[in-house]
Amino acid sequence: MIYSFRNASFRDSQTGVYNQEYFLEVFNREWHRHLREEQSLALVYLRPHVHEMVKHPKLLEIFSHEVEKSLLRATDLMAKFNQDIFALGLFNVNEQGAEVVIERIEHQIHKFLDTHGRDHSFSIDYKIATGVCTPDRRNSIEQLFNFVENLSDELEQASGPHVIALMPNN
Protein backbone atom coordinates (compact mmCIF):
# COMPACT_ATOMS: atom_id res chain seq x y z
CA MET A 1 0.00 0.00 0.00
CA ILE A 2 1.29 3.46 -0.89
CA TYR A 3 1.14 5.97 1.96
CA SER A 4 -0.75 9.17 1.15
CA PHE A 5 0.71 12.40 2.51
CA ARG A 6 -2.57 14.14 1.66
CA ASN A 7 -4.14 12.66 4.80
CA ALA A 8 -1.09 12.76 7.04
CA SER A 9 -1.24 14.21 10.52
CA PHE A 10 0.09 17.58 9.36
CA ARG A 11 -3.03 18.21 7.26
CA ASP A 12 -6.35 19.61 8.44
CA SER A 13 -8.98 16.90 7.96
CA GLN A 14 -11.74 19.35 6.96
CA THR A 15 -9.87 21.35 4.33
CA GLY A 16 -6.78 19.38 3.33
CA VAL A 17 -4.43 22.34 3.91
CA TYR A 18 -1.77 22.25 6.63
CA ASN A 19 -2.86 22.27 10.26
CA GLN A 20 -1.91 24.83 12.90
CA GLU A 21 0.83 22.74 14.52
CA TYR A 22 2.67 22.13 11.27
CA PHE A 23 2.30 25.78 10.26
CA LEU A 24 3.74 27.02 13.57
CA GLU A 25 6.68 24.64 13.31
CA VAL A 26 7.57 25.74 9.77
CA PHE A 27 6.92 29.42 10.49
CA ASN A 28 9.20 29.28 13.53
CA ARG A 29 11.97 27.68 11.47
CA GLU A 30 11.55 30.31 8.74
CA TRP A 31 11.50 33.11 11.34
CA HIS A 32 14.96 32.06 12.57
CA ARG A 33 16.29 31.72 9.02
CA HIS A 34 14.99 35.20 8.16
CA LEU A 35 16.55 36.52 11.37
CA ARG A 36 19.95 35.19 10.28
CA GLU A 37 19.60 36.36 6.69
CA GLU A 38 17.91 39.70 7.56
CA GLN A 39 15.00 39.07 5.20
CA SER A 40 11.42 40.18 5.64
CA LEU A 41 8.38 37.91 5.85
CA ALA A 42 4.64 38.27 6.22
CA LEU A 43 1.97 36.62 8.31
CA VAL A 44 -1.54 36.72 6.86
CA TYR A 45 -4.84 35.93 8.57
CA LEU A 46 -7.71 35.23 6.19
CA ARG A 47 -11.14 35.15 7.80
CA PRO A 48 -13.75 33.91 5.35
CA HIS A 49 -17.32 34.39 6.49
CA VAL A 50 -19.40 31.74 4.75
CA HIS A 51 -23.14 32.28 4.84
CA GLU A 52 -24.90 29.07 3.77
CA MET A 53 -28.61 28.56 3.18
CA VAL A 54 -28.02 24.85 2.52
CA LYS A 55 -25.07 23.03 4.08
CA HIS A 56 -22.32 22.30 1.52
CA PRO A 57 -20.06 19.63 3.09
CA LYS A 58 -17.06 20.28 0.83
CA LEU A 59 -17.43 24.05 0.43
CA LEU A 60 -14.63 25.04 2.82
CA GLU A 61 -12.28 22.46 1.27
CA ILE A 62 -12.96 23.78 -2.24
CA PHE A 63 -12.56 27.36 -1.00
CA SER A 64 -9.23 26.64 0.70
CA HIS A 65 -7.82 24.93 -2.40
CA GLU A 66 -8.86 27.89 -4.56
CA VAL A 67 -7.09 30.29 -2.19
CA GLU A 68 -4.05 28.02 -2.06
CA LYS A 69 -3.76 28.38 -5.86
CA SER A 70 -2.89 32.05 -5.34
CA LEU A 71 0.32 31.03 -3.55
CA LEU A 72 2.61 30.61 -6.53
CA ARG A 73 5.89 30.09 -4.64
CA ALA A 74 6.60 26.68 -3.18
CA THR A 75 7.87 28.27 0.04
CA ASP A 76 4.60 30.04 0.84
CA LEU A 77 2.42 28.19 3.32
CA MET A 78 -1.30 28.02 4.13
CA ALA A 79 -2.91 26.41 7.18
CA LYS A 80 -6.27 26.16 8.90
CA PHE A 81 -5.97 27.71 12.36
CA ASN A 82 -9.49 27.34 13.72
CA GLN A 83 -13.10 27.60 12.55
CA ASP A 84 -12.63 31.23 11.51
CA ILE A 85 -9.03 31.72 10.41
CA PHE A 86 -6.67 30.53 7.73
CA ALA A 87 -3.05 31.57 8.27
CA LEU A 88 -0.60 32.14 5.45
CA GLY A 89 3.15 32.49 5.73
CA LEU A 90 4.83 34.50 2.98
CA PHE A 91 8.59 34.26 3.16
CA ASN A 92 11.23 36.59 1.78
CA VAL A 93 8.58 39.13 0.86
CA ASN A 94 8.27 42.87 1.53
CA GLU A 95 5.15 45.03 1.83
CA GLN A 96 4.73 45.39 -1.94
CA GLY A 97 5.18 41.64 -2.48
CA ALA A 98 2.58 40.92 0.19
CA GLU A 99 0.18 43.29 -1.58
CA VAL A 100 0.62 41.32 -4.82
CA VAL A 101 -0.18 38.04 -3.04
CA ILE A 102 -3.24 39.58 -1.33
CA GLU A 103 -4.51 40.78 -4.71
CA ARG A 104 -4.09 37.23 -6.09
CA ILE A 105 -5.96 35.81 -3.08
CA GLU A 106 -8.82 38.25 -3.62
CA HIS A 107 -8.89 37.37 -7.32
CA GLN A 108 -9.14 33.65 -6.46
CA ILE A 109 -11.95 34.34 -3.97
CA HIS A 110 -13.90 36.24 -6.63
CA LYS A 111 -13.22 33.46 -9.13
CA PHE A 112 -14.47 30.92 -6.58
CA LEU A 113 -17.66 32.93 -6.10
CA ASP A 114 -18.19 33.21 -9.86
CA THR A 115 -17.75 29.47 -10.30
CA HIS A 116 -19.50 28.07 -7.23
CA GLY A 117 -21.83 30.87 -6.18
CA ARG A 118 -24.28 30.35 -9.02
CA ASP A 119 -26.65 28.27 -6.93
CA HIS A 120 -27.17 31.27 -4.58
CA SER A 121 -27.38 29.04 -1.52
CA PHE A 122 -24.27 30.61 -0.01
CA SER A 123 -22.26 33.79 0.00
CA ILE A 124 -18.79 34.61 1.26
CA ASP A 125 -17.31 37.80 2.53
CA TYR A 126 -13.83 37.94 3.98
CA LYS A 127 -11.25 39.93 5.88
CA ILE A 128 -7.48 39.69 5.33
CA ALA A 129 -5.02 41.07 7.89
CA THR A 130 -1.34 41.05 7.01
CA GLY A 131 1.69 41.93 9.10
CA VAL A 132 5.09 42.34 7.43
CA CYS A 133 8.33 42.46 9.36
CA THR A 134 12.04 41.76 9.25
CA PRO A 135 12.86 39.62 12.27
CA ASP A 136 15.53 41.12 14.51
CA ARG A 137 16.52 41.09 18.17
CA ARG A 138 13.95 43.80 19.04
CA ASN A 139 10.90 41.75 18.06
CA SER A 140 9.70 38.20 18.49
CA ILE A 141 7.56 35.76 16.62
CA GLU A 142 4.91 36.10 19.33
CA GLN A 143 4.78 39.86 18.76
CA LEU A 144 4.09 39.30 15.05
CA PHE A 145 1.27 36.85 15.76
CA ASN A 146 -0.24 39.25 18.34
CA PHE A 147 0.14 42.17 15.91
CA VAL A 148 -1.69 40.33 13.11
CA GLU A 149 -4.35 39.01 15.47
CA ASN A 150 -5.03 42.57 16.68
CA LEU A 151 -5.13 43.83 13.08
CA SER A 152 -7.56 41.05 12.23
CA ASP A 153 -9.80 41.86 15.20
CA GLU A 154 -9.80 45.58 14.27
CA LEU A 155 -10.56 44.74 10.65
CA GLU A 156 -13.59 42.69 11.70
CA GLN A 157 -15.11 45.96 12.94
CA ALA A 158 -14.10 47.95 9.84
CA SER A 159 -15.66 48.03 6.40
CA GLY A 160 -12.61 47.24 4.24
CA PRO A 161 -11.74 43.71 3.08
CA HIS A 162 -8.01 43.82 3.85
CA VAL A 163 -5.15 45.66 5.53
CA ILE A 164 -1.39 45.32 5.25
CA ALA A 165 0.80 46.86 7.94
CA LEU A 166 4.46 46.87 8.89
CA MET A 167 5.01 45.59 12.38
CA PRO A 168 6.77 48.28 14.42
CA ASN A 169 10.12 47.32 15.93
CA ASN A 170 10.25 47.56 19.72
mmCIF file of all heavy atoms in Angstrom, residues 8 12 43 47 62 74 92 114 118 129 131 143 145 163 170:
data_model
loop_
_atom_site.group_PDB
_atom_site.id
_atom_site.type_symbol
_atom_site.label_atom_id
_atom_site.label_comp_id
_atom_site.label_asym_id
_atom_site.label_seq_id
_atom_site.Cartn_x
_atom_site.Cartn_y
_atom_site.Cartn_z
ATOM 1 N N ALA A 8 -2.020 12.907 5.930
ATOM 2 C CA ALA A 8 -1.088 12.763 7.040
ATOM 3 C C ALA A 8 -1.490 13.684 8.193
ATOM 4 O O ALA A 8 -2.312 14.576 8.053
ATOM 5 C CB ALA A 8 0.327 13.085 6.570
ATOM 6 N N ASP A 12 -5.051 19.405 7.835
ATOM 7 C CA ASP A 12 -6.355 19.607 8.444
ATOM 8 C C ASP A 12 -7.348 18.669 7.767
ATOM 9 O O ASP A 12 -7.434 18.646 6.537
ATOM 10 C CB ASP A 12 -6.784 21.067 8.269
ATOM 11 C CG ASP A 12 -8.175 21.325 8.781
ATOM 12 O OD1 ASP A 12 -8.377 21.245 10.001
ATOM 13 O OD2 ASP A 12 -9.063 21.594 7.944
ATOM 14 N N LEU A 43 2.964 37.518 7.749
ATOM 15 C CA LEU A 43 1.967 36.620 8.314
ATOM 16 C C LEU A 43 0.605 37.172 7.917
ATOM 17 O O LEU A 43 0.336 38.366 8.108
ATOM 18 C CB LEU A 43 2.092 36.557 9.839
ATOM 19 C CG LEU A 43 1.020 35.759 10.573
ATOM 20 C CD1 LEU A 43 1.076 34.278 10.177
ATOM 21 C CD2 LEU A 43 1.174 35.921 12.078
ATOM 22 N N ARG A 47 -9.916 35.553 7.111
ATOM 23 C CA ARG A 47 -11.142 35.151 7.796
ATOM 24 C C ARG A 47 -12.291 35.134 6.791
ATOM 25 O O ARG A 47 -12.904 36.167 6.525
ATOM 26 C CB ARG A 47 -11.478 36.123 8.922
ATOM 27 C CG ARG A 47 -10.600 36.002 10.125
ATOM 28 C CD ARG A 47 -11.079 36.904 11.226
ATOM 29 N NE ARG A 47 -10.386 36.594 12.453
ATOM 30 C CZ ARG A 47 -10.636 37.195 13.603
ATOM 31 N NH1 ARG A 47 -11.552 38.133 13.687
ATOM 32 N NH2 ARG A 47 -9.964 36.868 14.682
ATOM 33 N N ILE A 62 -13.092 23.206 -0.899
ATOM 34 C CA ILE A 62 -12.963 23.784 -2.241
ATOM 35 C C ILE A 62 -12.443 25.207 -2.145
ATOM 36 O O ILE A 62 -11.541 25.613 -2.874
ATOM 37 C CB ILE A 62 -14.310 23.728 -2.988
ATOM 38 C CG1 ILE A 62 -14.736 22.279 -3.215
ATOM 39 C CG2 ILE A 62 -14.232 24.472 -4.313
ATOM 40 C CD1 ILE A 62 -16.190 22.121 -3.631
ATOM 41 N N ALA A 74 6.625 27.914 -3.955
ATOM 42 C CA ALA A 74 6.598 26.675 -3.179
ATOM 43 C C ALA A 74 6.869 26.920 -1.698
ATOM 44 O O ALA A 74 6.455 26.122 -0.853
ATOM 45 C CB ALA A 74 7.606 25.683 -3.738
ATOM 46 N N ASN A 92 10.381 35.776 2.633
ATOM 47 C CA ASN A 92 11.234 36.594 1.776
ATOM 48 C C ASN A 92 10.385 37.497 0.899
ATOM 49 O O ASN A 92 10.511 37.517 -0.323
ATOM 50 C CB ASN A 92 12.179 35.720 0.938
ATOM 51 C CG ASN A 92 13.315 36.530 0.357
ATOM 52 O OD1 ASN A 92 13.603 37.642 0.804
ATOM 53 N ND2 ASN A 92 13.960 35.996 -0.656
ATOM 54 N N ASP A 114 -17.630 33.283 -8.505
ATOM 55 C CA ASP A 114 -18.194 33.208 -9.858
ATOM 56 C C ASP A 114 -18.495 31.770 -10.255
ATOM 57 O O ASP A 114 -19.515 31.490 -10.875
ATOM 58 C CB ASP A 114 -17.242 33.829 -10.884
ATOM 59 C CG ASP A 114 -17.153 35.334 -10.777
ATOM 60 O OD1 ASP A 114 -18.032 35.938 -10.120
ATOM 61 O OD2 ASP A 114 -16.200 35.912 -11.342
ATOM 62 N N ARG A 118 -23.122 30.268 -8.124
ATOM 63 C CA ARG A 118 -24.277 30.353 -9.021
ATOM 64 C C ARG A 118 -25.561 29.816 -8.402
ATOM 65 O O ARG A 118 -26.647 30.238 -8.774
ATOM 66 C CB ARG A 118 -23.994 29.591 -10.317
ATOM 67 C CG ARG A 118 -22.978 30.274 -11.166
ATOM 68 C CD ARG A 118 -22.854 29.592 -12.514
ATOM 69 N NE ARG A 118 -21.523 29.888 -13.030
ATOM 70 C CZ ARG A 118 -20.677 28.993 -13.471
ATOM 71 N NH1 ARG A 118 -21.015 27.733 -13.505
ATOM 72 N NH2 ARG A 118 -19.487 29.335 -13.893
ATOM 73 N N ALA A 129 -5.952 40.237 7.126
ATOM 74 C CA ALA A 129 -5.023 41.072 7.890
ATOM 75 C C ALA A 129 -3.615 40.544 7.672
ATOM 76 O O ALA A 129 -3.365 39.344 7.807
ATOM 77 C CB ALA A 129 -5.375 41.042 9.375
ATOM 78 N N GLY A 131 0.593 41.247 8.428
ATOM 79 C CA GLY A 131 1.693 41.928 9.097
ATOM 80 C C GLY A 131 2.999 41.548 8.425
ATOM 81 O O GLY A 131 3.270 40.364 8.197
ATOM 82 N N GLN A 143 5.226 38.489 19.022
ATOM 83 C CA GLN A 143 4.776 39.857 18.756
ATOM 84 C C GLN A 143 4.122 39.962 17.374
ATOM 85 O O GLN A 143 3.121 40.648 17.217
ATOM 86 C CB GLN A 143 5.939 40.845 18.853
ATOM 87 C CG GLN A 143 6.409 41.074 20.271
ATOM 88 C CD GLN A 143 7.698 41.870 20.308
ATOM 89 O OE1 GLN A 143 8.648 41.554 19.590
ATOM 90 N NE2 GLN A 143 7.719 42.901 21.139
ATOM 91 N N PHE A 145 2.575 37.504 15.700
ATOM 92 C CA PHE A 145 1.266 36.852 15.761
ATOM 93 C C PHE A 145 0.253 37.718 16.509
ATOM 94 O O PHE A 145 -0.900 37.842 16.088
ATOM 95 C CB PHE A 145 1.377 35.456 16.387
ATOM 96 C CG PHE A 145 1.770 34.401 15.400
ATOM 97 C CD1 PHE A 145 3.108 34.164 15.110
ATOM 98 C CD2 PHE A 145 0.809 33.652 14.741
ATOM 99 C CE1 PHE A 145 3.474 33.198 14.181
ATOM 100 C CE2 PHE A 145 1.167 32.685 13.816
ATOM 101 C CZ PHE A 145 2.509 32.455 13.527
ATOM 102 N N VAL A 163 -6.119 44.678 5.070
ATOM 103 C CA VAL A 163 -5.154 45.664 5.533
ATOM 104 C C VAL A 163 -3.783 44.996 5.572
ATOM 105 O O VAL A 163 -3.659 43.828 5.907
ATOM 106 C CB VAL A 163 -5.527 46.240 6.923
ATOM 107 C CG1 VAL A 163 -5.511 45.163 7.989
ATOM 108 C CG2 VAL A 163 -4.627 47.383 7.314
ATOM 109 N N ASN A 170 10.275 47.069 18.320
ATOM 110 C CA ASN A 170 10.250 47.561 19.715
ATOM 111 C C ASN A 170 11.637 47.904 20.182
ATOM 112 O O ASN A 170 12.609 47.432 19.743
ATOM 113 C CB ASN A 170 9.647 46.488 20.624
ATOM 114 C CG ASN A 170 8.180 46.285 20.314
ATOM 115 O OD1 ASN A 170 7.516 47.161 19.761
ATOM 116 N ND2 ASN A 170 7.660 45.123 20.656
#
